[in-house]
Amino acid sequence: MRIVTIGDVGVLDGMVHVGDEAMFHEATVQLRARGATITGVSSNPAETAERYGVDAVPAIGFHPATTGGRLGQRERRARVLSAIDGGADHLPQDDPAWQVVEAVREADGVLVAGGGNMASLWPMHVYERNTLGLIARRFGKPLVVSGQTIGPVLEGEDRELVTELLDAAALVGLREGASLELVRTLGVDPAKTVGTVDDASFLGFDAAPPAGGAVDASGAGGAPGAAGAPGAAGASGAAGASGAGGAQAPYLAVSLSAHVGDADRAAFATAVARLLDRVAGEAGLEVVFLAHWASLDPTEERGDSLLHRAVLDQLTVPARVEPTTDSPAAARFARGAALHLTSRYHPAVFAVAGGVPTVGLAVDDYTTIKLTGALGNFGQTSVVSAAQLLGGDADAVALTAWAGRDAVRSAWADRLDGTRTASAAWWDRVAGALQG
């Protein structure tokens, strides 16, 4: 069984997006375990092929830099579909879309791997997935859409394109209640929509079960070094002392997004630093940063690392940086923390799946929905807004989460087996649907 799988993957300019790679990675793991081989659709096919040991083709391509925006995206979609329908001269022979068309023609099915980009904020991704889904339908190939956040902003043509895609799918997985509710308003057959956890919730889970802060409620924690890399330069400029072997101090993991919504970036950084100083100081935790959108070169600070630096430079408690490597390492890092603070989605996904008390910093409606959903899937509720952070109200939430770590761990243990069983059953359904 060969499955064409699209995710927002492919390292470009040395920058990796841990969460996007994680969902694609877990899809490859789960499909291979069920007998599939993968052809990935990637922004950097050669890099994706090497990273995951798969075949890979370039995306059809709806980036506004090449299409000129909405009108050009609409026209490109029409040309690609027309070319399949017999108007081959509508696309140049060297157009990358042909590689996708041929990959789908030769495949047994098509999977849209987990993601949160089916929204009017990202029309290029809406067009890409809609067009891929319609190519699958033209060739009679089963289509599955897995582990999605839909919206919350989904308007006009984007709403129509997403509805068309989901209608074409045999099975649709949605990772939070808000997305399930939105999809119901689109009129998609409820019999094929399923509430799921995020696709990457259990990435690498069996190879490296949760350890550290989540395991020992007294605060004895696991090691960032266990995440696959030694500590990097921290606030003092000295390398962290942790390594893969030996005892490790418990740590407060921090992963912030460069996106801070409407908040003033400098004020946001100062407020996070103030929050970390108080919480880490009272809990006796070292602060360790790991960026989820960052350069793979540990000597460069780009992407999320820039906000991390702005926070780190204001801290008075011990702090350092863990290098960004790959998704399994980031998952181990999150699950090994004693406490996690994040405005990014996948650090929360990894942490709560490991029973780690987690505080989500939501900066807009989109991040509120995602973080609330991620925490809620494992019984946690500690999500605060940027306004609460700036007003000083996040301290109490974070300290309450830390004080309640025994209860968090207990609730996690009660639901872990059931959630993992449901996740395995979901992947069984995905594989079954893709076999037609």
Side-chain angles (χ1 to χ4, degrees), residues 43-385:
S43 297
N44 187 342
E47 192 276 335
T48 295
E50 181 178 3
R51 180 178 291 267
Y52 299 111
V54 300
D55 296 326
V57 296
I60 297 167
F62 289 91
H63 197 287
T66 56
T67 61
R70 175 78 66 173
L71 179 59
Q73 291 166 336
R74 188 180 303 133
E75 291 174 347
R76 177 155 179 74
R77 172 178 174 275
R79 287 197 306 273
V80 170
L81 297 176
S82 176
I84 299 172
D85 293 337
D89 58 344
H90 290 185
L91 287 178
Q93 291 185 351
D94 61 352
D95 192 297
W98 285 120
Q99 295 184 54
V100 178
V101 170
E102 291 307 310
V104 174
R105 190 197 308 272
E106 297 171 4
D108 296 291
V110 173
L111 173 69
V112 177
N117 49 27
M118 289 196 211
S120 292
L121 292 171
W122 298 286
M124 61 180 277
H125 295 304
V126 172
Y127 273 100
E128 185 78 37
R129 283 147 181 76
N130 170 276
T131 307
L132 179 62
L134 294 188
I135 293 171
R137 187 165 68 182
R138 276 163 165 73
F139 289 132
K141 310 293 183 175
L143 168 70
V144 172
V145 177
S146 185
Q148 297 293 315
T149 295
I150 307 293
V153 179
L154 192 64
E155 301 170 337
E157 186 177 12
D158 301 320
R159 191 178 183 91
E160 295 171 3
L161 292 170
V162 170
T163 301
E164 187 176 36
L165 171 67
L166 301 184
D167 281 340
L171 192 60
V172 177
L174 302 163
R175 61 192 186 183
E176 65 272 311
S179 292
L180 278 164
E181 290 299 321
L182 176 55
V183 167
R184 289 192 183 103
T185 71
L186 302 180
V188 177
D189 182 1
K192 64 182 178 184
T193 60
V194 180
T196 67
V197 294
D198 180 78
D199 283 358
S201 292
F202 300 111
L203 176 67
F205 201 88
D206 291 322
V215 173
D216 185 351
S218 68
S236 66
S242 69
Q248 303 297 334
Y251 61 98
L252 193 170
V254 181
S255 293
L256 303 172
S257 171
H259 172 63
V260 298
D262 294 331
D264 177 81
R265 185 174 300 274
F268 188 93
T270 297
V272 172
R274 182 187 63 217
L275 171 65
L276 292 174
D277 272 341
R278 180 175 179 192
V279 175
E282 292 192 20
L285 303 174
E286 180 186 27
V287 176
V288 185
F289 294 82
L290 190 147
H292 270 230
W293 178 54
S295 173
L296 289 171
D297 181 347
T299 68
E300 294 183 342
E301 289 186 340
R302 294 189 286 160
D304 294 347
S305 300
L306 295 174
L307 183 58
H308 285 185
R309 174 55 60 186
V311 174
L312 194 151
D313 285 347
Q314 300 181 63
L315 290 177
T316 62
V317 294
R320 59 187 177 80
V321 174
E322 190 76 3
T324 302
T325 56
D326 60 23
S327 300
R332 293 192 296 271
F333 170 81
R335 294 178 191 138
L339 179 66
H340 210 308
L341 178 76
T342 180
S343 61
R344 276 225 175 260
Y345 177 71
H346 274 96
V349 167
F350 298 148
V352 297
V356 177
T358 300
V359 179
L361 299 178
V363 301
D364 53 24
D365 290 344
Y366 175 68
T367 53
T368 297
I369 285 173
K370 292 209 304 177
L371 288 168
T372 300
L375 269 65
N377 282 336
F378 284 87
Q380 296 195 45
T381 60
S382 300
V383 177
V384 298
S385 67

